[in-house]
Amino acid sequence: NGNDALLTSCCLVAGLYPNLASLIRPSREMRIRGGKLITKDGDSCRPSSSSFQCERIRNATEGGKDAYVVYHGKVMTLGVSKGSKDDEKKKQEPFLDDINFVSRFAILLFGGEIEIRKNFLVVDNWLKFKVDDKNKGSNSSSKPEKLPDKGQVNALLIQELRKEMDNVMLKHIMKGQVDENQDEMDVECQRVIDVVRCLLAA
């Protein structure tokens, strides 16, 4: 699976977390020009000019889905005096280096601690992801039927999938050191990976 870009994004989250930021899109109403990135500590950051995702973030549109990035490091610009006759200084501004966009499911499966709150999954008491609670029927003319606690059930399934991914990684680490049938173990691990790939592609 080394050439799978979707699974590679999971490795980025696992390796760089908690270096994670949420994209704030431009807003005429809020007078926000250009896309910005908000980190967990509340810093409003811009992408470093050396990041290949820099233009994508700067040119982000007002409408669109929520988006998240991982980054390698955060740097601060130095304050510069306006002149010798006053002490006013330009406010220091943080920049993020080596940015890559990642899926919300990559964050849920390989990020920080997750907590279930009704039909929401909350990562490290920060990022909040709503889990769909609608039952899509085959009859398009009928209204979608809401099932009791369906969203919470789906949230539990994602949480259990995360545990299965932990088992997959443990089995790969212990491969060759246990007496289990290696072929059967590989098949079981691949099934879990296939499920993860389907989620990432959603």
Side-chain angles (χ1 to χ4, degrees):
N1 300 298
N3 295 324
D4 193 316
L6 291 175
L7 294 180
T8 301
S9 71
C10 292
C11 297
L12 290 174
V13 174
L16 292 174
Y17 196 87
N19 289 3
L20 182 71
S22 176
L23 174 65
I24 301 299
R25 296 182 177 277
S27 172
R28 294 180 183 178
E29 182 179 349
M30 301 297 293
R31 296 183 180 179
I32 300 175
R33 297 179 61 184
K36 292 187 177 181
L37 299 166
I38 301 295
T39 57
K40 185 179 180 180
D41 55 12
D43 283 342
S44 177
C45 309
R46 294 189 182 276
S48 169
S49 58
S50 62
S51 174
F52 77 100
Q53 297 284 9
C54 179
E55 290 302 316
R56 179 179 175 183
I57 294 170
R58 286 179 179 174
N59 298 326
T61 59
E62 288 195 36
K65 296 181 179 179
D66 292 341
Y68 309 93
V69 304
V70 289
Y71 61 92
H72 185 263
K74 183 192 296 185
V75 295
M76 299 288 293
T77 58
L78 295 176
V80 180
S81 297
K82 289 184 176 181
S84 58
K85 293 184 178 181
D86 57 62
D87 295 328
E88 293 184 20
K89 291 185 178 181
K90 182 179 179 181
K91 183 180 179 182
Q92 289 186 334
E93 187 174 16
F95 286 80
L96 302 183
D97 286 330
D98 300 325
I99 295 167
N100 280 281
F101 282 87
V102 292
S103 162
R104 64 189 185 280
F105 287 113
I107 297 171
L108 287 170
L109 294 173
F110 296 91
E113 295 294 325
I114 58 175
E115 177 186 354
I116 297 176
R117 300 178 186 174
K118 295 184 179 180
N119 61 326
F120 288 90
L121 283 167
V122 183
V123 180
D124 280 347
N125 201 33
W126 174 39
L127 295 177
K128 190 175 183 181
F129 300 93
K130 185 177 181 179
V131 182
D132 187 24
D133 62 353
K134 293 182 179 180
N135 180 31
K136 296 179 180 179
S138 57
N139 186 357
S140 59
S141 62
S142 60
K143 293 183 178 179
E145 178 187 357
K146 273 198 171 183
L147 300 180
D149 299 323
K150 182 67 180 297
Q152 189 171 15
V153 170
N154 289 339
L156 285 168
L157 288 174
I158 293 175
Q159 189 178 51
E160 289 301 312
L161 179 59
R162 177 167 176 159
K163 293 178 183 178
E164 287 300 316
M165 279 303 306
D166 290 340
N167 290 333
V168 166
M169 288 187 284
L170 181 60
K171 287 177 180 179
H172 276 284
I173 293 172
M174 300 299 295
K175 194 171 184 178
Q177 302 179 35
V178 293
D179 297 329
E180 293 185 41
N181 186 303
Q182 295 297 323
D183 291 335
E184 291 183 4
M185 185 187 301
D186 289 342
V187 171
E188 291 176 4
C189 291
Q190 190 59 48
R191 287 174 180 170
V192 176
I193 292 173
D194 288 342
V195 173
V196 171
R197 185 184 287 109
C198 288
L199 273 178
L200 294 174

